[in-house]
Amino acid sequence: MTEPISRPSPNFDARGAPVSMLVLHYTGMADAESAIARLCDPAAKVSAHYVLDEDGTLYRLVDEGDRAWHAGRSRWRGMVDVNAISIGIEIVNPGHEHGYRPFPAAQMDRLVPLVGDIVERHGILPVNVVGHSDIAPARKEDPGELFDWPRLARHRLAVARPKLAFRDPHWTPGGFLVALERFGYDVADGPAAVRAFQRRFRPETVDGVADGECRAILLALLLDSGTALPQ
């Protein structure tokens, strides 16, 4: 892989914990330069380790050894200081508010080896390769339902959507949220947590309603991960 272009951001501090997560974002801005300008603005107090443009050009803003400020208020599998243990990649895309669109082939072609390299060097488990909406469902929608999670999963870099072999467990809405929390999500805002789950694992319908298909998918994910099921 070609080396990233250096565009240093001042927005970082000491990490203080080993890396065990990778968080994927979209920029939600018009272009890469606009995103980089914001991520390098001291007044914005946000940053990421990398920005990946639509043509595959990769920029490094913060060294992986440092704590970039990309996750904000977030939670995953009980961890609340996600910035301390994660690498953040901002993927250039206008986002839901500015003309959300599929991620180009050149961008994904560069992202897959980048993720593979980061995951291998830090020993990150597939379950800890997540989207911003996974860790902050009440606030964020990125990278969204058009992101090619299946491609990362085919390379064993992220959790795959299960090939359904289980029947609907018929959990109540509350039972579904218990199961979703056990998988890793913050369920303080139930409908938002369900929408985040759907964007990731059932993107063809994102409505915040935990139907039988969603319940069966989550059951399979929990069984695959060895997580205890709700009674």
Side-chain angles (χ1 to χ4, degrees), residues 65-195:
D66 294 316
R67 179 181 178 272
W69 304 340
H70 61 96
R73 188 176 69 256
S74 53
R75 182 184 184 92
W76 184 250
R77 298 200 148 196
M79 175 59 68
V80 293
D81 187 0
V82 172
N83 282 335
I85 60 169
S86 66
I87 302 293
I89 303 174
E90 288 277 359
I91 306 167
V92 175
N93 187 289
H96 289 83
E97 295 183 2
H98 304 290
Y100 188 47
R101 58 186 180 232
F103 296 78
Q107 195 174 44
M108 290 300 303
D109 288 346
R110 186 65 177 87
L111 180 66
V112 170
L114 174 63
V115 171
D117 179 55
I118 292 170
V119 163
E120 182 177 8
R121 284 188 288 102
H122 294 284
I124 300 172
L125 298 174
V127 73
N128 285 335
V129 177
V130 297
H132 203 182
S133 61
D134 293 319
I135 63 172
R139 300 188 300 111
K140 297 296 181 177
E141 299 176 306
D142 56 313
E145 61 276 7
L146 297 180
F147 182 72
D148 196 355
W149 285 108
R151 182 167 177 183
L152 292 184
R154 287 195 297 273
H155 290 273
R156 299 183 179 180
L157 300 175
V159 173
R161 174 177 177 165
K163 295 178 180 178
L164 292 182
F166 298 97
R167 295 181 179 178
D168 178 1
H170 296 289
W171 292 319
T172 65
F176 183 86
L177 293 180
V178 169
L180 197 56
E181 186 173 37
R182 288 184 181 176
F183 186 69
Y185 285 84
D186 178 357
V187 299
D189 183 330
V194 175
R195 286 192 295 271

